[in-house]
Amino acid sequence: MGEESRTLETGAGISTLIFGLRKTKHTVITPSKEEICLIRAYAEDHGICFDSVDFIAEPSELYLPSCGATNLDLVLIDGKHAFPWPIIDWFYTVDKLHLGGLLV
């Protein structure tokens, strides 16, 4: 994964920092504005550029049905861990991957 890669994750955390380090065109979906602020502050303090990272401060089950992302190289499902949310995230992201894209 590199600067030309298009990636999306539900949830946020260390993985978000890694996508920032890799400079992918990355979309992060998390309902926690506090979490977004903490991750941005950590990245700034440690010289991690988030110019190509877009944060969506909404629950994934509300955002993903209207998400216009296409041709993604990688989707990381790591938001709400209890049933049925991972299945909902999968349902709304699997068709956004290009052929050969990776779902984690």
Side-chain angles (χ1 to χ4, degrees):
M1 295 287 123
E3 293 182 31
E4 297 304 315
S5 299
R6 296 172 39 88
T7 57
L8 179 145
E9 74 177 306
T10 60
I14 292 173
S15 55
T16 309
L17 297 168
I18 293 169
F19 285 112
L21 283 168
R22 301 294 300 181
K23 299 182 180 176
T24 67
K25 293 173 183 69
H26 188 59
T27 302
V28 183
I29 306 162
T30 178
S32 174
K33 292 178 183 175
E34 180 182 0
E35 184 175 52
I36 292 169
C37 290
L38 291 170
I39 291 170
R40 283 186 182 278
Y42 183 92
E44 186 175 324
D45 290 347
H46 292 84
I48 301 170
C49 180
F50 269 7
D51 288 348
S52 62
V53 177
D54 292 320
F55 285 92
I56 307 298
E58 292 185 45
S60 60
E61 69 271 17
L62 298 180
Y63 176 75
L64 286 173
S66 63
C67 173
T70 59
N71 204 32
L72 296 172
D73 296 292
L74 183 139
V75 171
L76 172 61
I77 296 175
D78 194 24
K80 296 177 185 174
H81 295 172
F83 184 81
W85 286 278
I87 301 302
I88 293 169
D89 289 352
W90 167 81
F91 180 82
Y92 285 115
T93 57
V94 70
D95 66 339
K96 297 178 184 319
L97 287 163
H98 66 73
L99 185 61
L102 184 62
L103 178 68
V104 180

